[in-house]
Amino acid sequence: MLAACGGGGGGTATAPATPTTPTTPEVPGAYADTIAYSGAATASLATPNENAAVIASHIQLGGQQFNYTATTGHLTATDARTGKAAASFFYIAYTVPGADLTRRPLIFFYNGGPGSASAFLHLGSFGPRRLVSTIPSASIAPVQLVDNQETLLAQADLVFVDAIGTGFSQAVAPSANQDFWGVDSDAAAFRDFVQRYIAVNKREASPKFLLGESYGAPRTAVLANLLEIAGVQLAGVVLHSAIMDYNSNCGVLDPGAISCEGYIPTYAATSAYHGRATPAPADFNAFVQQARNFAAGDYRSAIAAYLTNKVAPPASVIAQLVNDTGMPTLTWQQNFDMGPGYYQANAVPGQLLGRYDARVSAPAGSALTVDGDPSLTVINAAFTSSIATYLAGELHYSARSGYVSFNDIVNRWNFSHDGRQLPDTLPDLAAAMALNPKLRVMAVNGYHDLATPFHQTELDLARLGANPLIVLKYYASGHMTYLDDTARRLQQSDLINFVNSVTVAQ
């Protein structure tokens, strides 16, 4: 079941894009990388390089020209124990020349998977250029890059970095890519990259933030703790569509082994979107809150008795599930601890709902369902092709090998952490907050995400207790909340307020 936790643009393996041959004449600062990179498990580089394309660029923001510098290349993560080069991280940094680096915020972005490069966040969310999206439509939009009016570049410098074995990031001999395919080794390498970036760019005094999506969120918890231990103080972390404790998510473990309570409000919200809830809710937020209360109340009591002693659920609980989802009484009687895969295939007769965004649907058996998630199928090819052309055509970085947007390594990943077979990273986040009592946390979720449901995030973070430094934000969107135009605008505003809540207070 771990393969079902791809997240953040993962889920199905994609072939590397064609090599990033320059598509425009060479410009000052361009860089033609002579190294062929590989995402293979045993691959490693003989020696690292820290070369980069450094390009002066601009976009139109609110009708005004906004100037920035794009730096695209590699930095070397050095093993803290041996002092030797361990991995060569590929990154794209957007910075504003002449800014006061002591006050200018710095945000590190990365997707999850494990095995996903950061192309989805990079070209979908808050970078200076963005792919046009038609989500939640089930149509495949024409590929079009536009100036991103929701970029965060006016407020902060942005660094998008790829995990080892993805993009052009690769281990350095004697290490191999697979040596970093685990919870602890991955986070330690990211720590070393962040430290190297800070040192090279003299960003020690800058307010620093981490933003990790999907598996990137548990990576963030472990990474935050490692950075705080290393003396790198963070201003804030953003947990985007988080799966903080794999042991609490019934989409990871078999339904029937643990409660699917965390998914019940997502089922209700999605069924309401598809017109299946009865009666149709007049107030969506009130409807979702009712679903939360029901999940944490009557459903929790009934599912505990069902899982422990196989006690049949009360008729009133089944009736509420039927009303909230529109699924038949018999279906809920036979699938009381309903997992997300079953809901995805059966919530709307004849349709398969998207896993990453359950608002997207396609007729069962149609071309959009061949990979098991129409909400990923409608966008995947555009991101995979666009990152290669964008690197060469606008960032003026070229390589001899194809960019690995997703590497199917989930079943190779070592998920063990802190003595458990599957990671629970809430203690890591708690430890980071204990080391840095000023550390702020923002969790963002889409109401229609069947991979990392919003209520499960709430249940997980509740373990940290009431804390004004922890805020949760929700959007009418899916896993990649930013693909929805309305949600992206709202999320940009929330992120600006979050960053300002730290920097203004300094």
Side-chain angles (χ1 to χ4, degrees):
M1 291 296 293
L2 285 175
C5 286
T12 56
T14 55
T18 55
T20 54
T21 306
T23 57
T24 59
E26 184 171 313
V27 300
Y31 177 60
D33 199 336
T34 60
I35 297 175
Y37 298 94
S38 172
T42 58
S44 61
L45 299 172
T47 57
N49 77 75
E50 291 196 331
N51 297 317
V54 182
I55 304 296
S57 192
H58 66 270
I59 57 173
Q60 294 295 316
L61 280 183
Q64 300 293 318
Q65 179 169 304
F66 185 88
N67 299 319
Y68 64 91
T69 301
T71 302
T72 307
H74 287 80
L75 284 175
T76 304
T78 301
D79 190 308
R81 298 166 299 174
T82 66
K84 297 180 179 179
S88 182
F89 274 90
F90 182 71
Y91 73 99
I92 301 96
Y94 300 103
T95 57
V96 173
D100 179 359
L101 299 186
T102 64
R103 299 186 63 81
R104 176 81 172 160
L106 177 65
I107 309 176
F108 293 91
F109 294 80
Y110 37 84
N111 277 102
S116 180
S118 294
F120 279 84
L121 277 169
H122 186 186
L123 295 184
S125 66
F126 305 108
R129 298 277 281 161
R130 177 180 63 79
L131 268 174
V132 172
S133 167
T134 58
I135 291 292
S137 169
S139 62
I140 297 177
V143 177
Q144 182 182 6
L145 273 174
V146 298
D147 288 351
N148 187 6
Q149 299 305 301
E150 287 76 55
T151 183
L152 293 173
L153 192 51
Q155 287 76 34
D157 290 338
L158 316 175
V159 181
F160 296 87
V161 56
D162 293 333
I164 298 166
T166 75
F168 296 124
S169 293
Q170 191 171 334
V172 176
S175 298
N177 286 341
Q178 63 188 359
D179 295 333
F180 300 96
W181 291 351
V183 174
D184 295 323
S185 55
D186 166 85
F190 267 82
R191 171 201 60 199
D192 299 336
F193 165 78
V194 170
Q195 289 182 292
R196 180 60 180 162
Y197 184 91
I198 291 170
V200 167
N201 294 282
K202 299 178 172 54
R203 301 305 296 263
E204 289 84 359
S206 301
K208 290 171 277 292
F209 296 81
L210 306 176
L211 191 156
E213 178 181 327
S214 197
Y215 177 79
R219 172 188 289 142
T220 293
V222 181
L223 173 57
N225 189 35
L226 292 178
L227 285 170
E228 295 290 347
I229 290 172
V232 178
Q233 189 172 71
L234 297 171
V237 299
V238 180
L239 310 174
H240 191 294
S241 301
I243 177 169
M244 302 304 291
D245 180 6
Y246 273 61
N247 304 276
S248 68
N249 188 310
C250 86
V252 176
L253 304 175
D254 291 329
I258 62 170
S259 169
C260 288
E261 174 191 335
Y263 281 85
I264 296 299
T266 297
Y267 297 162
T270 299
S271 294
Y273 176 84
H274 288 285
R276 307 287 296 172
T278 305
D283 183 328
F284 177 78
N285 289 332
F287 176 74
V288 170
Q289 186 57 50
Q290 167 266 311
R292 284 189 181 98
N293 296 340
F294 167 70
D298 291 347
Y299 182 84
R300 180 181 294 177
S301 299
I303 196 66
Y306 176 82
L307 293 175
T308 303
N309 299 310
K310 298 302 178 185
V311 175
S316 60
V317 172
I318 295 294
Q320 187 66 58
L321 292 167
V322 171
N323 290 341
D324 284 354
T325 66
M327 301 176 78
T329 297
L330 183 60
T331 296
W332 277 109
Q333 289 173 335
Q334 295 176 340
N335 300 274
F336 185 48
D337 195 27
M338 186 181 292
Y342 186 92
Y343 175 85
Q344 182 188 359
N346 294 277
V348 179
Q351 299 283 310
L352 179 70
L353 304 187
R355 177 171 178 261
Y356 285 129
D357 193 328
R359 298 174 302 169
V360 180
S361 65
S366 66
L368 289 180
T369 67
V370 293
D371 294 322
D373 185 354
S375 67
L376 184 58
T377 303
V378 298
I379 61 168
N380 209 27
F383 278 88
T384 300
S385 62
S386 294
I387 187 64
T389 56
Y390 176 65
L391 286 168
E394 296 194 29
L395 300 182
H396 299 283
Y397 170 94
S398 60
R400 291 178 53 206
S401 51
Y403 182 92
V404 181
S405 60
F406 184 73
N407 197 349
D408 191 8
I409 60 175
V410 173
N411 290 323
R412 290 176 172 267
W413 197 261
N414 181 1
F415 282 94
S416 62
H417 178 63
D418 277 353
R420 303 191 69 174
Q421 185 177 1
L422 295 175
D424 173 10
T425 60
L426 268 303
D428 299 89
L429 183 57
M433 298 181 77
L435 288 168
N436 178 5
K438 295 182 179 180
L439 180 64
R440 294 175 182 262
V441 178
M442 178 176 171
V444 301
N445 288 85
Y447 285 121
H448 306 288
D449 178 3
L450 287 173
T452 56
F454 69 91
H455 185 53
Q456 189 59 61
T457 299
E458 294 171 338
L459 295 174
D460 287 345
L461 290 177
R463 291 168 48 195
L464 299 180
N467 188 330
L469 298 181
I470 301 175
V471 296
L472 292 87
K473 297 293 182 178
Y474 310 91
Y475 310 97
S477 191
H479 191 76
M480 291 169 269
T481 55
Y482 43 81
L483 295 182
D484 183 289
D485 290 343
T486 300
R488 185 180 58 259
R489 296 181 187 110
L490 293 171
Q491 189 175 350
Q492 182 213 29
S493 177
D494 287 336
L495 286 168
I496 290 172
N497 290 336
F498 180 68
V499 170
N500 287 344
S501 71
V502 176
T503 57
V504 172
Q506 285 191 331

